[in-house]
């Protein structure tokens, strides 16, 4: 069994590949000692080879991973496996967002990455949802239910939270605020995609791809359609496992 582990900022994702096919996947919270959490996941498998990616990949290499690869390469490999004709990958994780453009052979041509603040990431969605009293699943549904949104002036997580509270205290319906927050994130992601350039065949990966409102509003803004894998959050881990299969 070939194992890929993505030690992310918010969660650990494991993908087990056998004969080039995803056999099993697991996702758990990173916790205080992510390498210990990852080791517990690994104990469930008879691993032929382990490759790690993500924020904690160097930590994984010190403890159990035979090799590491960058998140960019891992997500490119995972997305191409999920959608073989994929030209562009949008990955929205817990603490960063990435746009990755691929050539015809699936190699990385260029990429854009936002890793300086929480804006346009899963963490930003979590903060805004909690401020309005929604779960993440409810937050996206509320945004889809609203017909309009109010302008959110700041994409700084701290200032945006204050602005959301002010809107709530002025009596703005929570679903309108939810849509406003989603539109602000869509603005940020669309700007990244336009700056990097993007093809017509796009894959949306990362946990945020489970948010139906984010996908729908971004498709509407850009005039494109995204392929969302069945388990978008494991694309990095899947790519790491697939890379393991290329090693001697």
């Amino acid at each position: 069994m070939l194992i890929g582990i993505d030690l992310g900022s918010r969660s650990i994702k494991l993908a087990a590949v056998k004969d080039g096919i995803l056999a099993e996947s697991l996702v758990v919270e990173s916790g205080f000692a992510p390498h210990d959490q990852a080791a517990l996941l690994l104990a469930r498998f008879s691993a032929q080879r382990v490759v790690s990616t993500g924020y904690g990949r160097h930590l994984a290499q010190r403890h159990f991973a035979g090799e590491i690869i960058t998140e960019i390469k891992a997500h490119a490999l995972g997305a191409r496996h999920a959608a073989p004709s994929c030209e562009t990958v949008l990955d929205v994780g817990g603490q960063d967002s990435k746009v990755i453009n691929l050539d015809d052979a699936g190699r990385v041509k260029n990429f854009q990455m936002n890793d300086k603040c929480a804006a346009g990431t899963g963490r930003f969605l979590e903060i805004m949802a909690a401020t309005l009293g929604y779960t993440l699943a409810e937050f996206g549904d509320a945004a889809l239910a609203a017909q309009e949104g109010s302008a959110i002036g700041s994409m700084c997580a701290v200032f945006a939270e204050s602005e959301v509270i002010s809107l709530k205290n002025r009596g703005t319906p929570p679903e309108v605020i939810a849509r406003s927050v989603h539109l602000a994130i869509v603005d940020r992601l669309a700007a990244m995609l336009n700056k990097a350039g993007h093809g017509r065949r796009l894959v949306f990966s990362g946990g945020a791809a489970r948010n139906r409102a984010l996908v729908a509003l971004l498709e509407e803004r850009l005039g494109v359609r995204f392929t969302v894998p069945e388990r978008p959050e494991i694309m990095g881990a899947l790519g790491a496992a697939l890379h393991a299969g290329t090693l001697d």
Side-chain angles (χ1 to χ4, degrees):
M1 194 78 75
L2 301 173
I3 304 294
I5 294 188
D6 181 356
L7 266 70
S9 59
R10 307 288 296 169
S11 61
I12 299 169
K13 286 77 68 175
L14 179 149
V17 168
K18 185 175 183 180
D19 299 327
I21 298 172
L22 179 65
E24 190 171 350
S25 61
L26 301 167
V27 180
V28 298
E29 291 295 316
S30 296
F32 181 74
H35 60 288
D36 289 338
Q37 289 277 65
L40 289 174
L41 295 183
L42 273 174
R44 306 184 189 188
F45 300 90
S46 177
Q48 176 187 349
R49 189 174 290 124
V50 179
V51 173
S52 183
T53 189
Y55 276 98
R57 62 186 181 275
H58 296 289
L59 181 65
Q61 189 174 38
R62 290 200 298 270
H63 289 275
F64 54 78
E67 185 169 330
I68 60 175
I69 61 172
T70 67
E71 296 170 79
I72 302 300
K73 183 173 182 178
H75 281 276
L77 288 169
R80 264 298 173 108
H81 184 81
S85 62
C86 170
E87 297 173 308
T88 301
V89 185
L90 172 63
D91 174 63
V92 181
Q95 298 283 8
D96 65 35
S97 302
K98 298 179 279 292
V99 176
I100 309 164
N101 283 315
L102 310 177
D103 65 16
D104 291 341
R107 294 183 295 260
V108 176
K109 290 197 300 185
N110 61 67
F111 67 91
Q112 291 285 325
M113 191 166 183
N114 165 39
D115 60 356
K116 301 300 183 185
C117 69
T121 67
R123 180 57 180 156
F124 186 82
L125 279 168
E126 288 179 2
I127 293 169
M128 296 300 103
T131 301
L132 288 168
Y134 289 119
T135 64
L136 275 175
E138 293 169 343
F139 195 38
D141 290 342
L144 286 176
Q147 298 301 311
E148 60 179 355
S150 302
I152 298 290
S154 176
M155 277 298 284
C156 168
V158 175
F159 294 129
E161 184 176 11
S162 297
E163 193 169 344
V164 164
I165 291 171
S166 295
L167 287 170
K168 185 168 64 172
N169 289 339
R170 290 203 297 268
T172 304
E175 63 272 16
V176 171
I177 304 175
R179 190 176 185 88
S180 302
V181 170
H182 281 75
L183 288 171
I185 297 172
V186 164
D187 285 343
R188 184 89 170 207
L189 296 177
M192 286 182 64
L193 282 156
N194 287 328
K195 183 177 180 180
H198 61 82
R200 300 293 299 179
R201 296 186 291 275
L202 300 97
V203 167
F204 199 153
S205 70
R210 289 189 173 278
N211 185 310
R212 295 188 304 119
L214 202 58
V215 176
L217 292 171
L218 193 53
E219 287 180 335
E220 182 179 328
R221 175 65 56 85
L222 295 172
V224 300
R225 292 300 300 270
F226 284 95
T227 295
V228 179
E230 185 177 348
R231 298 209 68 188
E233 67 275 15
I234 69 158
M235 288 298 101
L238 175 59
L242 293 168
H243 178 71
T246 68
L247 302 175
D248 293 329

